[in-house]
Short mmCIF file of all heavy atoms in Angstrom, two decimals:
data_model
loop_
_atom_site.label_atom_id
_atom_site.label_comp_id
_atom_site.label_asym_id
_atom_site.label_seq_id
_atom_site.Cartn_x
_atom_site.Cartn_y
_atom_site.Cartn_z
N VAL A 581 0.84 -1.21 0.00
CA VAL A 581 0.00 0.00 0.00
C VAL A 581 0.87 1.25 0.00
O VAL A 581 0.59 2.24 -0.69
CB VAL A 581 -0.93 -0.02 1.23
CG1 VAL A 581 -1.70 1.30 1.33
CG2 VAL A 581 -1.90 -1.19 1.14
N TRP A 582 1.98 1.19 0.76
CA TRP A 582 2.89 2.35 0.83
C TRP A 582 3.51 2.64 -0.54
O TRP A 582 3.55 3.78 -0.99
CB TRP A 582 3.97 2.06 1.87
CG TRP A 582 4.98 3.16 2.07
CD1 TRP A 582 4.76 4.50 2.00
CD2 TRP A 582 6.37 2.98 2.33
NE1 TRP A 582 5.91 5.19 2.24
CE2 TRP A 582 6.94 4.26 2.45
CE3 TRP A 582 7.19 1.87 2.54
CZ2 TRP A 582 8.29 4.46 2.72
CZ3 TRP A 582 8.51 2.07 2.82
CH2 TRP A 582 9.08 3.36 2.91
N MET A 583 3.95 1.58 -1.24
CA MET A 583 4.55 1.76 -2.55
C MET A 583 3.52 2.27 -3.56
O MET A 583 3.84 3.08 -4.45
CB MET A 583 5.16 0.43 -3.05
CG MET A 583 6.40 -0.01 -2.30
SD MET A 583 7.81 1.12 -2.51
CE MET A 583 7.85 1.91 -0.89
N GLN A 584 2.29 1.79 -3.45
CA GLN A 584 1.25 2.26 -4.35
C GLN A 584 0.99 3.75 -4.14
O GLN A 584 0.78 4.52 -5.09
CB GLN A 584 -0.04 1.46 -4.14
CG GLN A 584 0.06 0.01 -4.63
CD GLN A 584 -1.15 -0.81 -4.23
OE1 GLN A 584 -2.09 -0.31 -3.61
NE2 GLN A 584 -1.12 -2.10 -4.58
N ARG A 585 1.03 4.20 -2.86
CA ARG A 585 0.83 5.62 -2.57
C ARG A 585 1.98 6.45 -3.13
O ARG A 585 1.77 7.53 -3.69
CB ARG A 585 0.72 5.84 -1.07
CG ARG A 585 0.60 7.32 -0.65
CD ARG A 585 0.12 7.44 0.78
NE ARG A 585 1.09 6.94 1.75
CZ ARG A 585 2.11 7.67 2.25
NH1 ARG A 585 2.30 8.91 1.85
NH2 ARG A 585 2.92 7.13 3.14
N LEU A 586 3.21 5.93 -2.98
CA LEU A 586 4.34 6.66 -3.51
C LEU A 586 4.30 6.71 -5.05
O LEU A 586 4.76 7.68 -5.67
CB LEU A 586 5.65 6.03 -3.04
CG LEU A 586 5.94 6.06 -1.53
CD1 LEU A 586 7.28 5.41 -1.23
CD2 LEU A 586 5.95 7.50 -1.02
N GLY A 587 3.73 5.67 -5.68
CA GLY A 587 3.65 5.62 -7.14
C GLY A 587 2.77 6.71 -7.72
O GLY A 587 2.93 7.10 -8.87
N THR A 588 1.82 7.18 -6.90
CA THR A 588 0.94 8.26 -7.38
C THR A 588 1.68 9.59 -7.47
O THR A 588 1.14 10.55 -8.05
CB THR A 588 -0.26 8.41 -6.44
OG1 THR A 588 0.21 8.77 -5.12
CG2 THR A 588 -1.06 7.11 -6.37
N GLN A 589 2.90 9.65 -6.90
CA GLN A 589 3.65 10.89 -6.90
C GLN A 589 4.49 11.06 -8.16
O GLN A 589 5.08 12.12 -8.38
CB GLN A 589 4.57 10.94 -5.66
CG GLN A 589 3.87 10.73 -4.34
CD GLN A 589 2.91 11.87 -4.01
OE1 GLN A 589 3.24 13.04 -4.21
NE2 GLN A 589 1.71 11.52 -3.55
N VAL A 590 4.57 10.01 -8.99
CA VAL A 590 5.41 10.06 -10.20
C VAL A 590 4.59 9.65 -11.41
O VAL A 590 3.50 9.06 -11.29
CB VAL A 590 6.64 9.13 -10.03
CG1 VAL A 590 7.49 9.57 -8.85
CG2 VAL A 590 6.21 7.67 -9.87
N GLN A 591 5.15 9.96 -12.60
CA GLN A 591 4.45 9.61 -13.84
C GLN A 591 4.63 8.13 -14.17
O GLN A 591 3.70 7.46 -14.59
CB GLN A 591 4.97 10.48 -14.98
CG GLN A 591 4.61 11.97 -14.84
CD GLN A 591 5.12 12.77 -16.01
OE1 GLN A 591 5.86 12.29 -16.86
NE2 GLN A 591 4.72 14.04 -16.06
N ASN A 592 5.86 7.61 -13.98
CA ASN A 592 6.14 6.21 -14.31
C ASN A 592 6.01 5.37 -13.05
O ASN A 592 6.88 5.36 -12.18
CB ASN A 592 7.54 6.08 -14.90
CG ASN A 592 7.86 4.65 -15.34
OD1 ASN A 592 6.97 3.80 -15.38
ND2 ASN A 592 9.12 4.41 -15.67
N LYS A 593 4.87 4.61 -12.94
CA LYS A 593 4.62 3.81 -11.74
C LYS A 593 5.24 2.42 -11.82
O LYS A 593 5.17 1.65 -10.86
CB LYS A 593 3.12 3.66 -11.52
CG LYS A 593 2.38 4.99 -11.37
CD LYS A 593 0.89 4.73 -11.17
CE LYS A 593 0.13 6.06 -11.03
NZ LYS A 593 -1.32 5.82 -10.86
N GLN A 594 5.85 2.09 -12.96
CA GLN A 594 6.30 0.73 -13.20
C GLN A 594 7.34 0.27 -12.18
O GLN A 594 7.29 -0.86 -11.69
CB GLN A 594 6.89 0.63 -14.61
CG GLN A 594 7.30 -0.79 -14.99
CD GLN A 594 7.84 -0.86 -16.41
OE1 GLN A 594 7.95 0.16 -17.11
NE2 GLN A 594 8.16 -2.07 -16.86
N VAL A 595 8.27 1.17 -11.83
CA VAL A 595 9.33 0.77 -10.90
C VAL A 595 8.77 0.43 -9.53
O VAL A 595 9.26 -0.47 -8.83
CB VAL A 595 10.40 1.89 -10.81
CG1 VAL A 595 9.82 3.14 -10.16
CG2 VAL A 595 11.62 1.40 -10.03
N PHE A 596 7.67 1.12 -9.10
CA PHE A 596 7.04 0.83 -7.80
C PHE A 596 6.30 -0.50 -7.82
O PHE A 596 6.27 -1.21 -6.82
CB PHE A 596 6.11 1.98 -7.42
CG PHE A 596 6.84 3.25 -7.05
CD1 PHE A 596 7.09 4.22 -8.00
CD2 PHE A 596 7.28 3.45 -5.76
CE1 PHE A 596 7.77 5.38 -7.67
CE2 PHE A 596 7.96 4.62 -5.42
CZ PHE A 596 8.22 5.56 -6.38
N GLU A 597 5.72 -0.82 -8.98
CA GLU A 597 5.05 -2.11 -9.12
C GLU A 597 6.08 -3.25 -9.07
O GLU A 597 5.84 -4.31 -8.48
CB GLU A 597 4.26 -2.15 -10.42
CG GLU A 597 3.08 -1.17 -10.45
CD GLU A 597 2.42 -1.10 -11.82
OE1 GLU A 597 2.98 -1.71 -12.75
OE2 GLU A 597 1.39 -0.43 -11.94
N GLN A 598 7.25 -3.00 -9.70
CA GLN A 598 8.29 -4.03 -9.71
C GLN A 598 8.85 -4.28 -8.29
O GLN A 598 9.14 -5.43 -7.91
CB GLN A 598 9.43 -3.59 -10.64
CG GLN A 598 9.04 -3.62 -12.11
CD GLN A 598 10.15 -3.05 -12.99
OE1 GLN A 598 11.09 -2.43 -12.50
NE2 GLN A 598 10.03 -3.28 -14.30
N VAL A 599 9.01 -3.20 -7.51
CA VAL A 599 9.56 -3.37 -6.17
C VAL A 599 8.57 -4.11 -5.27
O VAL A 599 8.97 -4.85 -4.36
CB VAL A 599 9.98 -2.01 -5.56
CG1 VAL A 599 8.78 -1.26 -4.98
CG2 VAL A 599 11.04 -2.21 -4.47
N ILE A 600 7.26 -3.94 -5.52
CA ILE A 600 6.24 -4.68 -4.76
C ILE A 600 6.37 -6.18 -5.04
O ILE A 600 6.34 -7.01 -4.12
CB ILE A 600 4.82 -4.18 -5.10
CG1 ILE A 600 4.63 -2.76 -4.56
CG2 ILE A 600 3.77 -5.11 -4.52
CD1 ILE A 600 3.33 -2.11 -5.00
N VAL A 601 6.54 -6.53 -6.31
CA VAL A 601 6.69 -7.93 -6.70
C VAL A 601 7.95 -8.53 -6.07
O VAL A 601 7.94 -9.65 -5.56
CB VAL A 601 6.71 -8.06 -8.25
CG1 VAL A 601 7.04 -9.50 -8.64
CG2 VAL A 601 5.40 -7.63 -8.84
N SER A 602 9.06 -7.76 -6.11
CA SER A 602 10.32 -8.23 -5.53
C SER A 602 10.17 -8.45 -4.02
O SER A 602 10.67 -9.44 -3.48
CB SER A 602 11.43 -7.21 -5.81
OG SER A 602 12.64 -7.63 -5.24
N HIS A 603 9.46 -7.55 -3.34
CA HIS A 603 9.25 -7.68 -1.90
C HIS A 603 8.44 -8.92 -1.57
O HIS A 603 8.75 -9.66 -0.61
CB HIS A 603 8.55 -6.42 -1.40
CG HIS A 603 8.25 -6.44 0.08
ND1 HIS A 603 7.03 -6.85 0.58
CD2 HIS A 603 9.03 -6.14 1.17
CE1 HIS A 603 7.05 -6.78 1.90
NE2 HIS A 603 8.26 -6.34 2.29
N GLN A 604 7.39 -9.18 -2.36
CA GLN A 604 6.55 -10.36 -2.11
C GLN A 604 7.34 -11.66 -2.32
O GLN A 604 7.16 -12.64 -1.60
CB GLN A 604 5.33 -10.32 -3.04
CG GLN A 604 4.35 -9.22 -2.69
CD GLN A 604 3.24 -9.10 -3.70
OE1 GLN A 604 3.35 -9.59 -4.84
NE2 GLN A 604 2.15 -8.41 -3.32
N LYS A 605 8.24 -11.61 -3.31
CA LYS A 605 9.06 -12.78 -3.60
C LYS A 605 9.96 -13.12 -2.39
O LYS A 605 10.12 -14.27 -2.01
CB LYS A 605 9.92 -12.46 -4.84
CG LYS A 605 10.19 -13.67 -5.73
CD LYS A 605 11.14 -13.30 -6.86
CE LYS A 605 10.32 -12.83 -8.06
NZ LYS A 605 11.21 -12.67 -9.26
N ILE A 606 10.54 -12.07 -1.79
CA ILE A 606 11.46 -12.28 -0.67
C ILE A 606 10.72 -12.67 0.60
O ILE A 606 11.13 -13.60 1.32
CB ILE A 606 12.30 -11.00 -0.43
CG1 ILE A 606 13.23 -10.75 -1.62
CG2 ILE A 606 13.11 -11.10 0.86
CD1 ILE A 606 13.93 -9.42 -1.58
N VAL A 607 9.60 -11.97 0.89
CA VAL A 607 8.92 -12.15 2.18
C VAL A 607 8.00 -13.36 2.16
O VAL A 607 8.07 -14.22 3.05
CB VAL A 607 8.13 -10.88 2.55
CG1 VAL A 607 7.36 -11.09 3.84
CG2 VAL A 607 9.08 -9.70 2.67
N PHE A 608 7.13 -13.46 1.13
CA PHE A 608 6.09 -14.49 1.16
C PHE A 608 6.53 -15.79 0.50
O PHE A 608 6.08 -16.87 0.90
CB PHE A 608 4.82 -13.95 0.49
CG PHE A 608 4.28 -12.72 1.18
CD1 PHE A 608 4.34 -11.47 0.57
CD2 PHE A 608 3.73 -12.82 2.45
CE1 PHE A 608 3.86 -10.34 1.21
CE2 PHE A 608 3.25 -11.68 3.09
CZ PHE A 608 3.32 -10.44 2.47
N LEU A 609 7.38 -15.70 -0.53
CA LEU A 609 7.87 -16.92 -1.17
C LEU A 609 9.20 -17.39 -0.58
O LEU A 609 9.73 -18.42 -0.99
CB LEU A 609 8.03 -16.69 -2.69
CG LEU A 609 6.74 -16.32 -3.44
CD1 LEU A 609 7.02 -16.12 -4.92
CD2 LEU A 609 5.69 -17.42 -3.25
N GLU A 610 9.75 -16.59 0.38
CA GLU A 610 10.99 -16.92 1.09
C GLU A 610 12.15 -17.18 0.13
O GLU A 610 12.95 -18.08 0.32
CB GLU A 610 10.78 -18.13 2.01
CG GLU A 610 9.77 -17.88 3.11
CD GLU A 610 9.63 -19.05 4.06
OE1 GLU A 610 10.24 -20.09 3.78
OE2 GLU A 610 8.92 -18.93 5.07
N GLN A 611 12.22 -16.35 -0.90
CA GLN A 611 13.32 -16.43 -1.86
C GLN A 611 14.32 -15.31 -1.58
O GLN A 611 14.56 -14.43 -2.41
CB GLN A 611 12.79 -16.35 -3.30
CG GLN A 611 11.85 -17.50 -3.67
CD GLN A 611 11.28 -17.36 -5.08
OE1 GLN A 611 11.59 -16.42 -5.82
NE2 GLN A 611 10.43 -18.31 -5.46
N SER A 612 14.87 -15.35 -0.36
CA SER A 612 15.77 -14.27 0.06
C SER A 612 17.22 -14.61 -0.25
O SER A 612 18.09 -14.51 0.60
CB SER A 612 15.60 -14.01 1.56
OG SER A 612 15.84 -15.20 2.29
N ASN A 613 17.48 -15.02 -1.49
CA ASN A 613 18.86 -15.27 -1.89
C ASN A 613 19.55 -13.95 -2.25
O ASN A 613 18.93 -12.90 -2.31
CB ASN A 613 18.91 -16.26 -3.05
CG ASN A 613 18.02 -15.82 -4.22
OD1 ASN A 613 18.18 -14.71 -4.73
ND2 ASN A 613 17.08 -16.68 -4.62
N ARG A 614 20.85 -14.04 -2.48
CA ARG A 614 21.64 -12.84 -2.71
C ARG A 614 21.19 -12.09 -3.96
O ARG A 614 21.11 -10.84 -3.95
CB ARG A 614 23.13 -13.25 -2.84
CG ARG A 614 24.10 -12.13 -3.18
CD ARG A 614 23.98 -10.92 -2.29
NE ARG A 614 24.00 -11.24 -0.86
CZ ARG A 614 23.78 -10.35 0.09
NH1 ARG A 614 23.48 -9.10 -0.20
NH2 ARG A 614 23.80 -10.72 1.36
N ALA A 615 20.79 -12.79 -5.02
CA ALA A 615 20.36 -12.12 -6.27
C ALA A 615 19.08 -11.33 -6.06
O ALA A 615 18.95 -10.18 -6.52
CB ALA A 615 20.16 -13.17 -7.37
N ASN A 616 18.12 -11.90 -5.34
CA ASN A 616 16.85 -11.20 -5.10
C ASN A 616 17.05 -9.99 -4.19
O ASN A 616 16.40 -8.95 -4.38
CB ASN A 616 15.83 -12.16 -4.49
CG ASN A 616 15.31 -13.16 -5.50
OD1 ASN A 616 15.40 -12.93 -6.71
ND2 ASN A 616 14.76 -14.27 -5.02
N ILE A 617 17.94 -10.13 -3.20
CA ILE A 617 18.21 -8.99 -2.31
C ILE A 617 18.85 -7.85 -3.09
O ILE A 617 18.48 -6.68 -2.92
CB ILE A 617 19.14 -9.44 -1.15
CG1 ILE A 617 18.42 -10.42 -0.21
CG2 ILE A 617 19.63 -8.22 -0.36
CD1 ILE A 617 17.25 -9.82 0.56
N GLN A 618 19.80 -8.18 -3.96
CA GLN A 618 20.44 -7.14 -4.78
C GLN A 618 19.44 -6.49 -5.73
O GLN A 618 19.46 -5.26 -5.95
CB GLN A 618 21.61 -7.76 -5.58
CG GLN A 618 22.80 -8.18 -4.72
CD GLN A 618 23.43 -6.99 -4.01
OE1 GLN A 618 23.48 -5.88 -4.55
NE2 GLN A 618 23.90 -7.23 -2.79
N GLU A 619 18.53 -7.28 -6.28
CA GLU A 619 17.49 -6.73 -7.16
C GLU A 619 16.56 -5.79 -6.38
O GLU A 619 16.20 -4.70 -6.85
CB GLU A 619 16.68 -7.88 -7.78
CG GLU A 619 15.50 -7.45 -8.64
CD GLU A 619 15.94 -6.78 -9.93
OE1 GLU A 619 17.15 -6.84 -10.27
OE2 GLU A 619 15.07 -6.20 -10.61
N PHE A 620 16.20 -6.20 -5.17
CA PHE A 620 15.33 -5.37 -4.32
C PHE A 620 16.02 -4.05 -3.96
O PHE A 620 15.41 -2.98 -3.98
CB PHE A 620 14.98 -6.16 -3.06
CG PHE A 620 14.01 -5.47 -2.14
CD1 PHE A 620 12.70 -5.20 -2.55
CD2 PHE A 620 14.39 -5.08 -0.86
CE1 PHE A 620 11.80 -4.57 -1.70
CE2 PHE A 620 13.50 -4.45 -0.02
CZ PHE A 620 12.20 -4.19 -0.43
N LYS A 621 17.30 -4.14 -3.69
CA LYS A 621 18.08 -2.94 -3.36
C LYS A 621 18.14 -1.99 -4.54
O LYS A 621 17.99 -0.76 -4.39
CB LYS A 621 19.49 -3.37 -2.93
CG LYS A 621 20.41 -2.22 -2.55
CD LYS A 621 21.78 -2.75 -2.14
CE LYS A 621 22.71 -1.61 -1.75
NZ LYS A 621 24.05 -2.13 -1.35
N ARG A 622 18.34 -2.53 -5.77
CA ARG A 622 18.40 -1.68 -6.96
C ARG A 622 17.08 -1.00 -7.26
O ARG A 622 17.02 0.20 -7.59
CB ARG A 622 18.83 -2.54 -8.16
CG ARG A 622 19.01 -1.77 -9.46
CD ARG A 622 19.27 -2.71 -10.61
NE ARG A 622 18.13 -3.58 -10.86
CZ ARG A 622 17.01 -3.19 -11.52
NH1 ARG A 622 16.86 -1.95 -11.95
NH2 ARG A 622 16.02 -4.05 -11.71
N LEU A 623 15.96 -1.75 -7.08
CA LEU A 623 14.63 -1.18 -7.34
C LEU A 623 14.30 -0.06 -6.35
O LEU A 623 13.71 0.96 -6.72
CB LEU A 623 13.57 -2.27 -7.28
CG LEU A 623 13.63 -3.31 -8.43
CD1 LEU A 623 12.67 -4.45 -8.16
CD2 LEU A 623 13.30 -2.64 -9.77
N LEU A 624 14.66 -0.25 -5.07
CA LEU A 624 14.43 0.81 -4.08
C LEU A 624 15.22 2.07 -4.43
O LEU A 624 14.74 3.20 -4.26
CB LEU A 624 14.82 0.33 -2.68
CG LEU A 624 13.84 -0.65 -1.99
CD1 LEU A 624 14.41 -1.11 -0.67
CD2 LEU A 624 12.48 0.01 -1.77
#
C-alpha cells in the first residue's frame, strides 16, 4: 500500500510495481537469496 501511494507521486509507476513484486518474492515466497536482495536494493 505504501509503494502504491508513492507511485501516485510520479508519472512512471512501473518501478514501484516491480519493487512490490520483488518484496513479495522475498517475504512471502521466502526467496531471500543474494540475487533477489540485490534486485530489491536496486529497485528501491
Side-chain angles (χ1 to χ4, degrees):
V581 174
W582 180 35
M583 290 295 107
Q584 290 172 3
R585 176 165 67 85
L586 296 181
T588 62
Q589 306 294 317
V590 299
Q591 292 181 353
N592 183 11
K593 302 179 180 179
Q594 184 178 3
V595 67
F596 290 93
E597 293 173 353
Q598 290 175 347
V599 81
I600 291 172
V601 173
S602 179
H603 179 265
Q604 291 174 342
K605 213 185 270 189
I606 293 171
V607 177
F608 300 110
L609 299 180
E610 297 183 354
Q611 298 177 2
S612 57
N613 53 56
R614 177 51 51 186
N616 287 340
I617 292 294
Q618 290 297 325
E619 176 69 12
F620 184 64
K621 180 180 180 180
R622 183 186 64 78
L623 291 172
L624 285 176

